[in-house]
Amino acid sequence: MVTAVSVLILAFLAGMFLWYWRRRVNRPAAKPLPVAVPPSRDLPAKYGKDEIVLMVKDPYWLYAYWELSEAKKEELYRRFGPGAWENSRPMLRVYDLTDHPYDFLRAPFFEIAITDMADNWYIHTGKPCSTFCIDLGRLIPNYGFVTLARSNIVTTPADKPSSVIDPLWPPVEACWQAVERYGKGRGFSSSSMIKSQS
Amino acid sequence: MPRGYVALVLHAHLPYVRDREDDFSLAEKWYHEAVTETYIPLIYICQRLNRDQVPYKITISLSPPLTAMMADTLVQEHYRHYLERLRELAAREVWRTRNDPRFHVVARMYQDLFEKTYGTYLVYGGNLINAFRDLQDSGNVELITCAATHGYLPLIGLQREVVRAQIEVAVNNHRRLFGRPPAGLWLPECAYNPGDDAILRDYGLKYFFLDAHGLLYARPRPRYSIFAPVYTPAGVAAFGRDLESSKQVWSAQEGYPGDCDYREFYRDIGYDLDFDYIKPYIHPSGLRLDTGMKYYRITGKSNYKEPYVPEWASFKAHTHAGNFLFNREHQINYLADYMDRPPIIVCPYDAELFGHWWFEGPQWLESLFRQVAGLAHRPFSFITPSEYLERFPVNQPATPCMSSWGNNGYNDVWLEGSNDWIYRHLHHAAAEMIRLANQHPTAEGLLLRALNQAARELLVAQSSDWAFIMKTGTMVDYAVGRTKKHLLNFWVLTRSIEKSDLDPEKVQDLEEDNNIFPDINYRVFASR
């Protein structure tokens, strides 16, 4: 009986050893983390501002991030009474200023209902070569839209060759035909050293 | 006058990965590998062409973080250790493979390469800046710069001061290291935002590069599409990347680097050999890594690989250079028939493609220059953008389109779900840096050092590389950690500045940890 147990224990230990050995040899190529930032040190969630910042992603999409301070909430209570924040809905109002530069009263706009949890949003405009500005605000019942912060103004890029021709520099058709069969944005970007580590 | 011109442009860049704490940092290894496989081979090629008086022209963009690492004594020392280990491994490999001629010849090739690399490294006292400066002075190599820390200007440039600081620091760094101002600038990721050209002009930069559609979608429509530069509203020349030639070299399907005779990148003895044998040459923790010694050729699409045959690979590099030459000649002949000036074909590539990814890339490049020089009928000439602009000073005025050379051609890669969170923090830190620079026009002593260090931390946090790594999904923790670390350092410094309780030891510690741009002046962030 004792012998059998000893043999079992020995076999188990040998198995452990072999397993460990194999594991050591075939250690997977996991990546260690050369830079560790302790969780106690993290970037601030807010910077105490009332602002919305607008950025261009591509000809059809914008990106906005924002934050509002407690003071702005208080301001809303003062203007519209207690519960004004809770009873209103957060909205983004996207102005298309392309044909009405800086004219917010005449510029067409559309609105996006957002949530109080959100602090950033991707916005589909579908409009290349257009100029946009966004108001972050709230829809107050029986009153309407109230602007809390207004963004910077951005312009989306073109997605095709311009129809504007300089009469002094009329396009040479052969030069344009030579590039027609190649699409744009091949995705051959930089940082190939980093890509290679994958 | 030649029928046309070809401008070869290599953009060399790595983020600032100097690691004071760890002499075996995985990130710093990117730099070690690129020096061995790309930068020193590039230096050889140019030296050999100069020696043989082969007419050639090449434009090399050396990013400021890269040059800062080349010039840093600690990085130089780390690299020397790396290369010494590699030489030792190569010597052991030559012995280990002595009875297998298939692998022995490859091991000998590596040994020869590493010994030559070591020799070159010692000749320049470990400082490759000296080597590039020599090449620049030879007249065939035009060195240009890039934004200070390869910041993605259309996204970090919410404030004009940020773009200005990225450009001014880069130009000053270039002038200090290479003894003359850069003629042009490689926009990080070719990312152009209309209006940034005015800042380039203010620093005497005469040209930059765009991806093809950045120029094709310019307004008004460019007369010669991408075969001549345009002048932006600020009067800076914008050159467009040629699509046909980039596809020939880059394309995963039909590009040269995928040829079956070329070296297989993904089979490295760091993974293949017995653990106890290879242990001294991989990570000290036992983590298996690429050593740089790879014995197989691409062979085919399957996992089955055959041994690498150096002569076959060299022959292919030569053949592919001939093919590239043939295609450019045809392209130029066709265009020249219709154009009222010689076309320029702009071929920009990541430098690290040549040698690191595409092991035979440097041979291809040298062969290309030699073959063109050897042809009696001179189908085209190589040229730098500066020389082109001297010969053709009159160019069409147009406003190029916001664009980049990333996937989809706009800002998509650097602004998406994985990395969009960084911009809020980068913009706020930049606003604070600008405010402090305006508030302290003449800081001195410890305050000056703290402000300068805050500028360094902000600039490194702005590197486009971190957002790029977050997007690619490998080593994400490293990129997130670097972004947070530099921003947190920035806020520690700026809060101490605000409270006037700067700790000299803390400032010194941060200076030693991140010492990029020793001569930086925080006033680059001041509003003007």
Side-chain angles (χ1 to χ4, degrees), chain B residues 23-155:
Chain B
D23 57 7
F24 208 112
S25 149
L26 288 179
E28 211 177 296
K29 192 165 165 286
W30 300 336
Y31 173 78
H32 299 157
E33 289 176 357
V35 170
T36 313
E37 295 168 346
T38 298
Y39 309 141
I40 290 183
L42 199 58
I43 292 166
Y44 286 155
I45 293 173
C46 295
Q47 285 175 339
R48 273 199 298 264
L49 294 169
N50 286 344
R51 184 197 62 200
D52 298 345
Q53 298 186 335
V54 175
Y56 75 101
K57 295 285 171 185
I58 189 165
T59 305
I60 303 177
S61 137
L62 295 171
S63 83
L66 183 62
T67 57
M69 288 192 287
M70 285 178 180
D72 181 80
T73 49
L74 183 73
V75 178
Q76 289 170 7
E77 193 187 310
H78 284 171
Y79 179 69
R80 196 167 49 77
H81 291 165
Y82 167 86
L83 195 53
E84 279 164 359
R85 268 198 307 275
L86 200 54
R87 290 169 62 221
E88 187 185 294
L89 175 63
R92 287 186 68 182
E93 279 298 282
V94 167
W95 175 253
R96 184 184 69 82
T97 57
R98 66 195 179 281
N99 294 323
D100 189 339
R102 295 175 311 158
F103 295 119
H104 189 62
V105 64
V106 188
R108 291 284 292 269
M109 174 195 81
Y110 282 119
Q111 188 181 35
D112 187 44
L113 179 74
F114 300 153
E115 291 303 320
K116 266 165 56 191
T117 303
Y118 193 64
T120 305
Y121 198 62
L122 295 184
V123 163
Y124 289 104
N127 189 343
L128 296 182
I129 298 293
N130 298 331
F132 281 106
R133 202 193 290 125
D134 279 359
L135 291 179
Q136 167 187 259
D137 295 341
S138 77
N140 294 318
V141 179
E142 178 152 286
L143 297 182
I144 60 170
T145 191
C146 181
T149 53
H150 215 259
Y152 193 91
L153 301 181
L155 296 176

Side-chain angles (χ1 to χ4, degrees), chain B residues 512-524:
Chain B
E512 285 171 12
D513 196 45
N514 171 10
N515 66 344
I516 196 170
F517 310 131
D519 64 340
I520 197 171
N521 184 337
Y522 70 95
R523 294 277 302 151
V524 293

